[in-house]
Amino acid sequence: MQEQNAVPRRIVVGVDGSPASVDALRWAVGQAHAVGAAVEAVTAWQHPNAPGWTGHPDDEDFAAGIARKTLDAAIAEASDPERPVWIAARVVRGGAVAALLAAARDAELLVVGSRGHGGFAGALLGSVGQHCVQHAPCPVVVVRHDASPPSAR
């Protein structure tokens, strides 16, 4: 007999469009397929925080639209027809850390890339990943991007 009130298994993934975040999403899709979970792909956006910067009201729709296109492209790239998984796409206004930690509540797993678009190219772990590893309410998997061509992997 199945329990009607069972909480579905959920894996949350941070996506910023960087190669490492697409690899993280691809890994999460494989893991979700293996364990029967759904994937929640989350991207966050916010206006630049610069002194004197004032945005046009349409900038909000524009920024959210770019974030959505980035997320949709990553999902298309990471999806695998041979391993079908339900993927929910969420675009959140705000900082990446806050968005991921909030989404990770009641999640089975939080998956992030080793480093995103920001920061230092030589860093092994970016600031968002570091913060998530230290503060997430669930286990965290950090996926490192392999820059070698797929044929060489």
Side-chain angles (χ1 to χ4, degrees):
M1 181 163 122
Q2 281 188 327
E3 188 176 324
Q4 293 288 353
N5 295 329
V7 176
R9 298 178 83 171
R10 189 169 59 95
I11 297 173
V12 174
V13 187
V15 179
D16 67 0
S18 66
S21 76
V22 174
D23 286 349
L25 181 56
R26 190 176 290 115
W27 185 92
V29 166
Q31 180 67 14
H33 180 72
V35 302
V39 172
E40 184 175 336
V42 178
T43 192
W45 68 273
Q46 58 187 4
H47 287 296
N49 191 10
W53 185 86
T54 57
H56 188 275
D58 292 339
D59 289 348
E60 203 166 295
D61 291 335
F62 181 73
I66 289 174
R68 182 59 192 223
K69 285 182 182 180
T70 300
L71 183 56
D72 289 345
I75 290 171
E77 187 176 341
S79 295
D80 184 349
E82 293 183 22
R83 298 183 298 178
V85 170
W86 186 78
I87 303 173
R90 285 192 48 213
V91 177
V92 179
R93 181 179 181 182
V97 170
L100 291 174
L101 293 180
R105 284 188 208 115
D106 300 322
E108 184 170 303
L109 201 58
L110 172 61
V111 183
V112 294
S114 56
R115 11 179 335 275
H117 284 301
F120 302 99
L124 294 177
L125 183 60
S127 60
V128 171
Q130 180 69 42
H131 200 89
C132 288
V133 165
Q134 293 175 330
H135 301 285
C138 63
V140 178
V141 172
V142 178
V143 177
R144 185 172 178 185
H145 173 63
D146 185 356
S148 63
S151 60
R153 292 182 197 158

